[in-house]
Amino acid sequence: MNTPSDPHKPVEPVARGPFLLSTWSFGERANAAAWPGLARGGSALDAVEEVCVFCEDDPDIDSVGFGGLPDRDGRMSLDGCVMLSPEKSGSVCAIRRHRHPVTIARLVMDHTPHVMLAGEGADEFAQAHGQQQEELLSPGAAEAWKKWKQDRLPADQSRDQGVRPFDRDSTGNLFAAGDDESRWNNNHDTIGVLSLDEHGLMAGACSTSGMPWKVPGRVGDSPIIGHGLYVDPQGGAAVATGTGELVMAICGSFLAVEEMRRGAMPREAVTEVLERIAARSDLEPTHQVAIIALRPDGHWGAGALRPGFRFVASDATGHHVLQPEVVQLPGT
Ligand code: ASP
């Protein structure tokens, strides 16, 4: 057991003041966009929505919002959610005509007695609340889908075991050549974000187009409260990214928060989640899961099943793109 004087006790990072923690290196640009408002005393809820909206608007991020990759049949569907506490959360899935699932999720939270709206009903709700209807399939994503249709196998290959025929490395937009994060640029990359504001409010949100080439109708962990995202002011907040089915099998975000509620540091909490996933007998080499976690006292941490995950911590000192200290299956 570690004691405070134990030289081997890991240094647990802790936020002092407003703070943002986002998944993947593209979170850096999004955090930078949301930071000024948060730094001026803005709310954590506004900040997490803004981070997601930034990514949803960016056509170069091909796993979130406009620019996201479609399902097997070339149709887009977006998922997202937002959460403040077990009493206050909102979620939408299978959105087909509106770009900002997180904003719609916040409207669900604020204007309905429900937690989650799905499909056509969610699109109609968005429209009724003034969200603009639009085509979600970007020209780049349509092109990628056509190439995939031509070169790849249909239906049962929709979890994309291969190389995505859409190489962003050459553009330098998201991943520099040789950057091992690009390894995971072939099947997922939800933007997940957690924040603490100067008033002590904690919030979380996530937004995704889900797995590219998925079976139409598939919904992953991201928009499901307790799976992709969970926030409890009594315990902490956690958001997951990666192979949603693995996270859904263990209520990954809820599990991380529950561990923190019982006193675990974020690092210990994410380790527990990843250990359970790593223990599965059917784990495939293409499976990746990463999770970021934040406690109400500001302690934060991150972990991933395999190398190649990056995340971004933003505070008054800047936006820091980091690799997690916890990698459950290093060398894989
Ligand atoms: N977890 C998301 C899903 O399974 C994908 C991702 O994180 O990229 O839909």
Side-chain angles (χ1 to χ4, degrees), residues 23-24 26 63-64 79 184 187-192 207-212 214 218-223 228 240-248 288-290:
T23 54
W24 303 106
F26 57 70
S63 49
V64 181
D79 308 323
W184 302 111
N187 51 9
H188 38 69
D189 291 350
T190 294
I191 180 70
S207 180
T208 189
S209 51
M211 284 190 183
K214 62 197 169 192
R218 180 263 186 193
V219 175
D221 60 321
S222 299
T241 177
T243 313
E245 284 72 5
L246 300 180
V247 179
M248 294 163 91
Q288 169 66 308
V289 170

